[in-house]
């Protein structure tokens, strides 16, 4: 019996009990005991489903962790293999290798290397300051009374926008602490 059916049956028993002016007959008592047993069994079954699901979920979580570890390992292996292929192709002076199974080619590219962030950059440089402000209360009552008894401490960090900085340097500008590093990118089809 489903839980909603048990609830409906319980309502029916209560209605019949009311019709009998509260007199509990043997028949009603027997139905109530049977209904409570069925309700408990139903709830126990639901509790067991929850326990089984929790065990299944734990197994899924363990499998996810195992697969994530495997994924990380495979990515590391692929990165190492790509770097070794690029190095080997550069040493052989080859830009492209083709076979019926795989096609690999090198493409010249570059990336921006930031050696260090300096304190002063040209006004048109693609950098921004990340400013954090904190307020230190010196005297709470003085702030309430005068609203001026606080001190500001400003900490800032300069952030280089790498994509824009790369364009900036390629346009012939100098950006202290930054330079473009050439490299070959591998394409595998």
């Amino acid at each position: 019996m489903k839980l909603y059916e048990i609830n409906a049956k319980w309502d029916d028993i209560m209605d019949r009990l009311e019709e009998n002016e509260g007199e509990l007959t043997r028949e009603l008592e027997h139905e109530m005991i049977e209904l409570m047993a069925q309700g408990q069994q139903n709830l126990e079954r639901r509790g067991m489903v929850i326990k089984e699901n929790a065990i299944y979920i734990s197994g899924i979580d363990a499998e996810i962790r195992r697969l994530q570890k495997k994924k990380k390992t495979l990515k590391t292996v692929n990165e190492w293999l790509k770097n070794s292929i690029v190095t080997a192709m550069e040493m052989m002076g080859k830009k492209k290798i083709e076979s019926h199974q795989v096609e690999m080619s090198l493409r010249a590219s570059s990336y921006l290397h930031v050696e260090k962030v300096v304190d002063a950059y040209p006004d048109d440089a693609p950098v921004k300051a990340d400013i954090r402000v904190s307020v230190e209360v010196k005297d709470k009552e003085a702030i309430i009374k005068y609203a001026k008894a606080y001190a500001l401490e400003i900490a800032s960090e300069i952030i280089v926008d790498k994509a824009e900085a790369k364009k900036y340097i390629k346009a012939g500008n100098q950006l202290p602490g930054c330079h473009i590093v050439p490299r070959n990118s591998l394409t595998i089809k």
Side-chain angles (χ1 to χ4, degrees), residues 19 26 38 52 74 90 112 137 167:
E19 288 171 7
R26 285 187 186 257
Q38 286 180 1
E52 289 171 7
L74 291 173
E90 288 172 344
L112 180 75
V137 176
K167 291 177 192 173

Side-chain angles (χ1 to χ4, degrees), residues 120-128 159 161 164-165 168 173-176:
Y121 285 100
D123 290 338
D124 63 339
V127 296
K128 58 186 170 191
I159 300 170
D161 181 338
E164 291 300 315
Y168 183 81
N173 300 304
Q174 294 291 320
L175 198 56

Side-chain angles (χ1 to χ4, degrees), residues 10 48 50 65 94 102 110 120 153 155 158 161 181 189:
W10 191 261
M48 289 302 299
I50 290 170
R65 285 190 298 276
K94 296 214 175 220
V102 69
S110 61
E153 180 185 308
I158 296 176
D161 181 338
V181 179
K189 296 180 185 179

